[in-house]
Structures are given as structure tokens and as C-alpha cells.
Amino acid sequence: MKINQILDKIDEKQLFIPAFQREYVWRRGHAKNLIASLIREYPTGTMLTWETNTPPELKGDWEYSSHQGSVKIILDGQQRITTLYMLIRGTLPPYYTESEIKYDPRGLYIHIETLELQYYKKTIMDNNPYWLNVTDIFQRKVRERNVIKEIKENGQELTNEQEDTISDNLQAVSNIPDLEFLEQTVPIRATLKEAIDIFYIVNASGVNLTDAELALAQISGYWPTAREEFKKKLEILKEDGFVFKLDFIIYCLLGILHNKGSEM
């Protein structure tokens, strides 16, 4: 599926993020690396989706209706998809609010001759026509002829080779929404438990999700509001002078369940 098709399906309420997934945690360095790889058309991983008529609790305000038929749930790849949504659309995806985005990837700039990626720095980017906002490029607000004109008006001569490089680089960035993002699909016959198990297996081999996060994904599949309930409890504890991470509550809960004989 092409990247722009994925974003369209999110907007059309055909593709969702399940509530049992963690929040957006990517830092700006991850966003830079993703765009750098896509410009060069390097592999960037796959998107794992689950097509289902009985989706779990979903992130955001949208509530599923059985009249909608089957929808797709993103089990793996939401950090990349969310990053691309914000950089290409320039807005937040419908399943997140501003307060939930700790590291906003927007405001990424590219040096259109060298392809260096940086977040806005006034000292090097002001009055420097080589630096362009990548979101402006995605949204077709940047024209090759205008860029070259501004560079020349800034007192810099360009060889034909340099102009060709700028043209090629602009095209490479503009083409990103049309690139294929490989999709693997869990069949519609899969149950919620099977889908969560697959999510666990896929993510357990990575280095970014802690054991507690993986456990919370399992818990949230059956207790949709668990993550929010735990976060509220952490805030209450913080007000009383006790600062804990989310992992603390998960490990406490798992300890209690284990003591009671649960096999979870």
C-alpha cells in the first residue's frame, strides 16, 4: 500500500490504532532517520495490520459501528505511520491530541543540495534558500524554479549540475508519499487474543518496547481503559510525592496476578 493511501485510509476511518498500543514515543532523531531512508528508498520495515469485524477499543474519539463492516487495525508500524502523517499532512492524526505528542516531528528541514536533515535553526536557515521545510515540499508549496531563482537572487551561481541535483532531490522528497509501504495482514478470522499474541511476538524481538509495555498491551486488549487508569493513578501518586514510571504499576499488577495463580 502506498504511504498516501495509508494516510487517506486513516482520514476515511478505515485504518485505526488499537488502544492497547503505547503512545507515540519516537524522538526527532527517529523521524530524521526515517525520512533519510525514504529519500534513498531504503527499506524501512513493514506495517502489520489486522482486518476485523470486531475491533478492540480504538485510540481517539472514534467509536466503531458494526454497520461499518470490517476495518483494519495497525498492529505494528504505528510510530512510523504517525510520524509520516504529521510530516506529510502537517497536522496530528485523528487518534492523538497535542498533549499526547511528547516529541513533535514537525518542523523538519532539508538542505536541498546535500540532503542534510535538521530541525529549524535560525542561525543557519534564515535567509538561506537551500533549507526547505519538508512538509512544504510534501504539500507542493515548493517549486523548483522558485528555489533556484531564490538561490541566484541570494548572489550564488549554480552550475547545470547543481541545478540538476536540486531538481532530483526535490523530486525524491516529493515522491515519498507515493512510495510503497509493505503491508502484512493478519487474516480476518483471527481472534482478539490471536491478534494481541501476534503483536506481542512481533514486538518482543525489538529493543524499544519494555517487557512492561508488552504486558500492558496484553492487559489493554481485555481492559481497554487500563492505560489511562494507570496514568491517572501515577498522577495521584506524584501529587503525594511518589514518582513512579508506568512499569512500576505493571510489575505490581503482574506480581499480584502471579500470586493469585494467574497464567497471564
Coordinates of all heavy atoms in Angstrom, one line a residue, residues 1-7 26 34 38 42-49 74 76-82 84 176-184:
M1 N 0.8 -1.2 0.0 CA 0.0 0.0 0.0 C 0.9 1.3 0.0 O 1.9 1.3 0.7 CB -0.9 0.0 1.2 CG -2.0 1.1 1.2 SD -2.9 1.2 2.8 CE -3.4 -0.5 3.0
K2 N 0.5 2.2 -0.8 CA 1.3 3.5 -0.8 C 1.1 4.3 0.4 O 0.0 4.2 1.1 CB 0.9 4.3 -2.1 CG 1.4 3.7 -3.4 CD 1.0 4.6 -4.6 CE 1.5 3.9 -5.9 NZ 1.2 4.8 -7.0
I3 N 2.1 5.1 0.8 CA 2.0 5.8 2.0 C 0.8 6.8 2.0 O 0.1 6.9 3.0 CB 3.3 6.6 2.2 CG1 4.5 5.7 2.6 CG2 3.2 7.7 3.3 CD1 5.9 6.3 2.6
N4 N 0.6 7.5 0.9 CA -0.5 8.4 0.8 C -1.9 7.7 0.9 O -2.9 8.2 1.5 CB -0.5 9.3 -0.4 CG -0.5 8.5 -1.7 OD1 -0.7 7.3 -1.8 ND2 -0.2 9.2 -2.8
Q5 N -1.9 6.4 0.5 CA -3.2 5.6 0.6 C -3.4 5.2 2.1 O -4.5 5.2 2.6 CB -3.1 4.3 -0.2 CG -3.1 4.6 -1.7 CD -2.9 3.3 -2.5 OE1 -2.1 2.5 -2.1 NE2 -3.6 3.2 -3.6
I6 N -2.3 5.0 2.8 CA -2.4 4.7 4.2 C -3.0 5.9 5.0 O -3.9 5.8 5.8 CB -1.0 4.3 4.8 CG1 -0.6 3.0 4.2 CG2 -1.1 4.2 6.4 CD1 0.9 2.6 4.6
L7 N -2.4 7.1 4.7 CA -2.9 8.3 5.4 C -4.4 8.6 5.0 O -5.1 9.0 5.8 CB -2.0 9.5 5.0 CG -0.5 9.3 5.2 CD1 0.2 10.6 5.0 CD2 -0.2 8.7 6.6
W26 N 8.4 8.1 19.6 CA 9.5 8.4 18.7 C 10.1 9.8 19.0 O 9.3 10.8 19.3 CB 9.2 8.3 17.3 CG 9.5 7.0 16.7 CD1 9.6 5.8 17.3 CD2 9.8 6.7 15.3 NE1 9.9 4.8 16.5 CE2 10.0 5.3 15.2 CE3 9.8 7.5 14.1 CZ2 10.3 4.7 14.0 CZ3 10.1 6.8 12.9 CH2 10.4 5.5 12.9
L34 N 14.0 8.2 9.4 CA 13.0 7.6 8.6 C 12.9 8.3 7.2 O 12.9 7.7 6.2 CB 11.6 7.7 9.3 CG 10.4 7.2 8.5 CD1 10.6 5.7 8.1 CD2 9.1 7.4 9.2
L38 N 13.8 7.0 3.4 CA 12.8 7.0 2.4 C 13.2 7.8 1.2 O 12.9 7.4 0.0 CB 11.5 7.6 2.9 CG 10.7 6.7 3.9 CD1 9.6 7.5 4.5 CD2 10.1 5.5 3.2
Y42 N 15.5 3.3 0.9 CA 16.0 2.2 1.6 C 14.8 1.5 2.3 O 13.7 2.1 2.5 CB 16.9 2.7 2.7 CG 18.2 3.2 2.3 CD1 19.1 3.9 3.2 CD2 18.7 3.1 1.0 CE1 20.3 4.4 2.7 CE2 19.9 3.6 0.5 CZ 20.7 4.3 1.4 OH 21.9 4.8 1.0
P43 N 15.0 0.2 2.7 CA 13.9 -0.5 3.4 C 13.6 0.2 4.8 O 14.6 0.6 5.4 CB 14.5 -1.9 3.6 CG 15.5 -2.1 2.5 CD 16.1 -0.7 2.3
T44 N 12.4 0.3 5.1 CA 12.0 1.0 6.4 C 11.1 0.1 7.2 O 10.4 0.6 8.1 CB 11.3 2.3 6.1 OG1 10.2 2.1 5.3 CG2 12.3 3.3 5.5
G45 N 11.1 -1.2 7.0 CA 10.2 -2.1 7.7 C 8.8 -2.3 7.1 O 8.6 -1.7 6.0
T46 N 8.0 -3.0 7.7 CA 6.7 -3.3 7.2 C 5.6 -2.8 8.2 O 5.9 -2.4 9.3 CB 6.5 -4.8 7.0 OG1 6.6 -5.5 8.2 CG2 7.5 -5.3 6.0
M47 N 4.4 -2.8 7.7 CA 3.2 -2.4 8.5 C 2.4 -3.7 8.7 O 2.1 -4.4 7.7 CB 2.4 -1.4 7.8 CG 1.1 -1.0 8.6 SD 0.1 0.3 7.8 CE -0.4 -0.5 6.3
L48 N 2.1 -4.1 9.9 CA 1.3 -5.3 10.2 C -0.1 -4.8 10.6 O -0.3 -4.1 11.5 CB 2.0 -6.1 11.3 CG 1.2 -7.3 11.8 CD1 1.2 -8.4 10.7 CD2 1.8 -7.9 13.0
T49 N -1.0 -5.3 9.8 CA -2.4 -4.9 10.1 C -3.3 -6.1 10.3 O -2.9 -7.3 9.9 CB -3.0 -4.1 8.9 OG1 -3.1 -5.0 7.7 CG2 -2.2 -2.9 8.6
I74 N -3.8 -1.3 12.9 CA -2.4 -1.4 12.8 C -1.8 -2.0 14.0 O -1.9 -1.5 15.1 CB -1.8 0.1 12.6 CG1 -2.3 0.7 11.3 CG2 -0.2 0.0 12.6 CD1 -1.8 2.1 11.1
D76 N 1.5 -3.2 14.0 CA 2.9 -2.8 14.1 C 3.2 -1.8 13.0 O 2.8 -2.0 11.9 CB 3.8 -4.1 13.9 CG 5.3 -3.7 14.1 OD1 5.7 -3.2 15.2 OD2 6.1 -4.0 13.2
G77 N 3.9 -0.8 13.4 CA 4.3 0.3 12.4 C 3.6 1.6 12.7 O 3.8 2.6 12.0
Q78 N 2.9 1.7 13.9 CA 2.2 3.0 14.1 C 3.2 4.1 14.4 O 2.8 5.3 14.1 CB 1.2 2.8 15.3 CG 1.8 2.8 16.7 CD 1.4 4.1 17.5 OE1 1.1 5.1 16.9 NE2 1.5 4.0 18.8
Q79 N 4.4 3.9 14.9 CA 5.3 5.0 15.2 C 5.7 5.6 13.8 O 5.8 6.9 13.7 CB 6.6 4.5 15.9 CG 6.3 3.9 17.3 CD 5.8 4.9 18.3 OE1 6.2 6.0 18.4 NE2 4.8 4.5 19.2
R80 N 6.0 4.8 12.8 CA 6.4 5.3 11.5 C 5.2 5.9 10.8 O 5.4 7.0 10.2 CB 6.9 4.1 10.7 CG 8.3 3.7 11.0 CD 8.7 2.3 10.4 NE 8.0 1.2 11.2 CZ 7.7 0.0 10.7 NH1 8.1 -0.3 9.4 NH2 7.1 -0.9 11.4
I81 N 4.0 5.3 10.9 CA 2.9 5.9 10.2 C 2.5 7.2 10.8 O 2.1 8.2 10.1 CB 1.7 4.9 10.3 CG1 2.0 3.6 9.5 CG2 0.4 5.5 9.7 CD1 2.4 3.8 8.1
T82 N 2.5 7.3 12.2 CA 2.2 8.5 12.8 C 3.1 9.6 12.5 O 2.8 10.8 12.2 CB 2.1 8.3 14.4 OG1 1.1 7.3 14.7 CG2 1.8 9.6 15.1
L84 N 4.9 9.9 9.7 CA 4.7 10.3 8.3 C 3.4 11.1 8.2 O 3.4 12.1 7.4 CB 4.6 9.0 7.4 CG 5.9 8.3 7.2 CD1 5.7 7.0 6.5 CD2 6.9 9.2 6.4
I176 N 8.0 10.7 -1.8 CA 7.9 9.8 -0.6 C 6.4 9.4 -0.4 O 6.2 8.2 -0.2 CB 8.5 10.5 0.6 CG1 10.0 10.5 0.5 CG2 8.0 9.9 1.9 CD1 10.7 11.2 1.7
P177 N 5.4 10.3 -0.5 CA 4.0 9.8 -0.3 C 3.6 8.7 -1.3 O 2.6 8.0 -1.0 CB 3.2 11.1 -0.4 CG 4.1 12.2 -0.1 CD 5.5 11.7 -0.6
D178 N 4.2 8.6 -2.4 CA 3.8 7.6 -3.4 C 4.6 6.3 -3.3 O 4.4 5.4 -4.1 CB 4.0 8.2 -4.8 CG 3.0 9.4 -5.1 OD1 1.9 9.2 -4.7 OD2 3.5 10.4 -5.7
L179 N 5.5 6.3 -2.3 CA 6.3 5.0 -2.1 C 5.4 3.9 -1.5 O 4.5 4.2 -0.7 CB 7.5 5.3 -1.3 CG 8.6 6.2 -1.8 CD1 9.7 6.4 -0.8 CD2 9.1 5.7 -3.1
E180 N 5.8 2.7 -1.8 CA 5.0 1.6 -1.3 C 5.5 1.3 0.2 O 6.7 1.3 0.4 CB 5.3 0.3 -2.1 CG 4.6 0.3 -3.5 CD 3.1 0.2 -3.3 OE1 2.6 -0.4 -2.3 OE2 2.3 0.6 -4.3
F181 N 4.6 1.1 1.1 CA 4.9 0.7 2.4 C 4.4 -0.7 2.6 O 3.2 -0.9 2.6 CB 4.2 1.7 3.4 CG 4.8 1.7 4.8 CD1 5.8 2.7 5.1 CD2 4.5 0.8 5.8 CE1 6.4 2.7 6.3 CE2 5.1 0.9 7.0 CZ 6.0 1.8 7.3
L182 N 5.3 -1.6 2.7 CA 5.0 -3.0 2.7 C 4.0 -3.4 3.8 O 4.2 -3.0 4.9 CB 6.2 -3.9 2.7 CG 7.2 -3.8 1.6 CD1 8.4 -4.7 1.8 CD2 6.5 -4.2 0.2
E183 N 3.0 -4.1 3.5 CA 1.9 -4.5 4.5 C 1.8 -6.0 4.6 O 1.7 -6.7 3.6 CB 0.6 -3.9 4.0 CG -0.6 -4.2 5.0 CD -1.9 -3.8 4.5 OE1 -2.0 -3.4 3.3 OE2 -2.9 -3.9 5.2
Q184 N 1.8 -6.4 5.8 CA 1.5 -7.8 6.1 C 0.2 -7.8 6.9 O 0.0 -6.9 7.8 CB 2.6 -8.5 7.0 CG 3.9 -8.6 6.2 CD 5.0 -9.2 7.1 OE1 5.3 -8.6 8.2 NE2 5.6 -10.3 6.7

